[in-house]
Amino acid sequence: MLENEPCSIIENEYVKPGKGQAFNRVKLRNLRNGRVLEKTFKSGDSLEGADVMEYDMEYLYSDGEFWHFMATDGSFEQHGASEEALGDTIKWLKEQEVYVVTLFNGAVLTVAPPNFVELEVVETDPGLKGDTANGGNKPATLTTGAVVKVPLFINIGDKLRVDTRSGEYVSRA
Amino acid sequence: MWQPSAKREALLARQTLNQTIRQFFAERDVLEVETPYLSQAAVCDPNIEPMQTNDVRYLHTSPEYAMKRLLCAGMGDIFEIARVFRRGEAGRRHNPEFSMLEWYRVGWDHQQLMLEVADITLAMLAPRYPSLPVVKLTYADAMQTYAKLDVRQASDEEVARAGIGLAGQDLDLNRDGWLDVIMSHAVEPTLPANTLVFIEDFPASQAALAKVSADDSGWPVARRFELYFNGAELANGYHELTDAAEQRRRFSAEAQGRPVDENLLAALAHGMPECAGVAMGLDRLLMMVLGTDNIADVLAFDWSRA
């Protein structure tokens, strides 16, 4: 915990100048927004541990304010994520898909999508027959509202496999 | 974890280093000594924490006190290669148990000693660096050049502000604490590379057991130096304080409830010859010789495997 924000330590270097005071130069990642920051502490100083847990959870539904997930470990435990906690993952939400939900003090901190999701195209220019291999792409809007670049042969109603890390089209599903 | 953390090449480099040291001092008639690792008294330095054994002896954190008693007893120029122990000092460049070379030159000041430190360091680094430039900077110049801070003029608030900027937060330190932050965060990493850099004339408040006198501008400085090489501190030397009353005053100011070494104080009262002394971290030197940034690579078994 740093300034009330849960962080993970990426690097921790012990520094001691000559006869002087010892420090630890620490690189931390803010678990809420992913930002990396560098801070120096006096050696021996302690920080409060963050009560952070990761769970596999299935996406159920949204009530407009919260997006609800259910644990897949058989506990059927449910948690609602705010729009802020969802972040970019909102573009890749699909019912019955399993997400990694990070809980902090029992509340949803972040939701990470699987590396690949399959989503349907709801809007794109008409497909061009025969153009399967080379050149050209066009934007396609998916059921979640995400827009990805796709090859020209893709039609409305096609299911696509998308890499959520890059936001890129992989193949037709 | 039963395997060593060092390769055979590193063990061999250590053997070569020890031979270089013994030959260097044999040629200069400096006597090799061994002093106790376990002492009844502890170090007084507020920033160094000793380890204690069950029967209330302390593992030494450097052979300094015992060697000074030898100097007071008239043994002349002496050196020691010792294993020393410091609680909590573990990291990429620190192992709580490490090897130290310490030596004293009777009748010398720190300027003469710096020349010898440069000579032996060049000899020790020769397997990797056949020749290296040597530069000397004052503490004030180093702070001015690499941290844009005028330590002679800067107020405590200005020093703290510069330190907070580098640390990313207020660590509630005194002036010397913030100067340490600036030194380790801004100065050390930006000193010229592949160069032996001596920094001398530390603020008087960081004198430890060095003589204090005014520099050319009248600013009181500790007659002390540190040697840096490629971002790492390798050695720390002093024109040694010989005033017994002043030594007792500094000792008791820094003792923090640890037993003060009365044997040392008695020896100093008897009289310590004018001399200069220096301590060098041999594991760091080996890291430089082998081109590694991890102290575990030069230790047969590092702290986690010991």
Side-chain angles (χ1 to χ4, degrees):
Chain A
M1 293 297 299
L2 186 71
E3 288 152 13
N4 298 317
E5 292 285 299
C7 294
S8 70
I9 291 174
I10 312 170
E11 245 179 70
N12 179 7
E13 192 180 9
Y14 179 80
V15 182
K16 189 170 187 306
K19 294 246 162 189
Q21 166 96 39
F23 304 104
N24 284 67
R25 295 185 78 168
V26 183
K27 250 191 204 161
L28 305 123
R29 176 176 287 117
N30 183 315
L31 292 174
R32 199 187 297 280
N33 57 30
R35 248 177 256 142
V36 173
L37 60 162
E38 269 193 77
K39 291 258 181 203
T40 297
F41 298 89
K42 280 190 265 191
S43 281
D45 276 3
S46 55
L47 288 171
E48 188 193 336
D51 176 19
V52 172
M53 296 286 281
E54 284 185 354
Y55 296 95
D56 284 341
M57 291 190 154
E58 190 182 298
Y59 172 57
L60 299 176
Y61 66 96
S62 168
D63 60 17
E65 191 181 354
F66 286 99
W67 284 256
H68 296 272
F69 293 81
M70 183 175 70
T72 58
D73 59 4
S75 68
F76 303 109
E77 196 181 316
Q78 291 192 19
H79 287 280
S82 66
E83 193 169 350
E84 191 201 352
L86 272 179
D88 278 351
T89 304
I90 200 162
K91 292 196 296 189
W92 314 117
L93 274 187
K94 188 182 159 193
E95 284 166 24
Q96 281 150 47
E97 192 69 60
V98 175
Y99 296 78
V100 177
V101 175
T102 303
L103 296 184
F104 167 54
N105 289 339
V108 178
L109 182 71
T110 58
V111 179
N115 290 344
F116 300 98
V117 288
E118 289 173 5
L119 293 166
E120 198 179 307
V121 177
V122 293
E123 200 187 314
T124 190
D125 290 340
L128 284 177
K129 280 270 181 308
D131 188 355
T132 53
N134 46 28
N137 56 45
K138 58 180 182 179
T141 308
L142 308 177
T143 45
T144 57
V147 179
V148 295
K149 281 187 177 161
V150 299
L152 298 176
F153 60 81
I154 296 295
N155 285 304
I156 292 173
D158 283 353
K159 273 200 169 175
L160 307 184
R161 187 171 163 81
V162 182
D163 188 324
T164 60
R165 295 161 292 185
S166 59
E168 281 170 8
Y169 162 90
V170 179
S171 64
R172 265 194 289 200
Chain B
M1 291 298 275
W2 69 267
Q3 297 99 332
S5 42
K7 298 195 180 93
R8 190 173 193 282
E9 174 201 11
L11 305 184
L12 182 60
R14 187 179 289 274
Q15 182 181 25
T16 305
L17 184 76
N18 287 338
Q19 283 166 346
T20 302
I21 295 166
R22 292 201 160 94
Q23 190 187 338
F24 184 93
F25 287 118
E27 286 166 3
R28 286 163 180 77
D29 288 324
V30 179
L31 176 70
E32 178 163 10
V33 297
E34 289 187 7
T35 59
Y37 283 20
L38 284 165
S39 166
Q40 295 165 64
V43 66
C44 284
D45 194 308
N47 290 314
I48 296 177
E49 204 184 326
M51 297 187 190
Q52 206 174 351
T53 61
N54 287 338
D55 54 352
V56 202
R57 292 245 164 183
Y58 294 89
L59 280 160
H60 70 168
T61 59
S62 96
E64 177 180 1
Y65 296 176
M67 291 182 83
K68 283 186 170 170
R69 284 163 65 191
L70 292 175
L71 290 168
C72 293
M75 297 294 175
D77 298 329
I78 47 174
F79 82 97
E80 176 163 1
I81 298 173
R83 199 62 83 80
V84 299
F85 306 84
R86 297 180 178 188
R87 186 186 298 283
E89 298 195 10
R92 208 160 40 86
R93 285 175 172 166
H94 292 82
N95 199 64
E97 173 181 356
F98 64 101
S99 293
M100 180 180 277
L101 165 65
E102 181 151 332
W103 78 97
Y104 291 85
R105 288 297 218 155
V106 175
W108 287 22
D109 67 10
H110 60 301
Q111 297 295 342
Q112 290 167 286
L113 186 59
M114 264 188 269
L115 296 175
E116 186 164 70
V117 170
D119 283 346
I120 195 170
T121 307
L122 290 171
M124 291 193 276
L125 291 174
R128 188 179 185 86
Y129 302 95
S131 74
L132 288 168
V134 181
V135 302
K136 203 163 75 171
L137 288 169
T138 65
Y139 184 90
D141 285 346
M143 283 290 197
Q144 185 70 60
T145 305
Y146 299 103
K148 305 282 173 268
L149 183 77
D150 182 349
V151 286
R152 295 195 187 92
Q153 302 295 329
S155 67
D156 290 357
E157 288 71 27
E158 284 167 322
V159 170
R161 208 175 312 133
I164 290 168
L166 291 165
Q169 60 180 333
D170 190 347
L171 299 173
D172 188 24
L173 299 168
N174 62 17
R175 182 185 179 93
D176 283 318
W178 284 121
L179 287 174
D180 287 342
V181 169
I182 298 164
M183 195 68 184
S184 56
H185 289 51
V187 178
E188 281 180 32
T190 48
L191 292 172
N194 292 331
T195 305
L196 295 185
V197 183
F198 286 93
I199 294 184
E200 60 173 336
D201 293 351
F202 280 68
S205 51
Q206 299 177 23
L209 293 179
K211 280 188 201 295
V212 171
S213 56
D215 70 5
D216 297 338
S217 70
W219 191 53
V221 292
R223 296 306 182 184
R224 203 190 119 190
F225 65 86
E226 292 202 11
L227 169 60
Y228 293 92
F229 183 65
N230 287 347
E233 182 204 332
L234 295 181
N236 189 0
Y238 301 80
H239 191 191
E240 300 289 348
L241 183 68
T242 49
D243 176 337
E246 173 64 10
Q247 277 164 329
R248 182 175 274 278
R249 193 194 62 74
R250 289 195 205 170
F251 266 121
S252 26
E254 299 192 332
Q256 314 172 79
R258 294 178 199 149
V260 177
D261 194 333
E262 290 296 339
N263 281 328
L264 174 63
L265 290 175
L268 297 173
H270 171 79
M272 187 163 90
E274 289 294 320
C275 64
V278 63
M280 262 183 142
L282 294 181
D283 309 277
R284 293 260 182 90
L285 254 153
L286 275 171
M287 287 166 66
M288 301 300 158
V289 169
L290 292 162
T292 172
D293 201 29
N294 190 347
I295 198 166
D297 293 340
V298 304
L299 299 165
F301 299 101
D302 70 357
W303 192 241
S304 66
R305 296 163 196 248

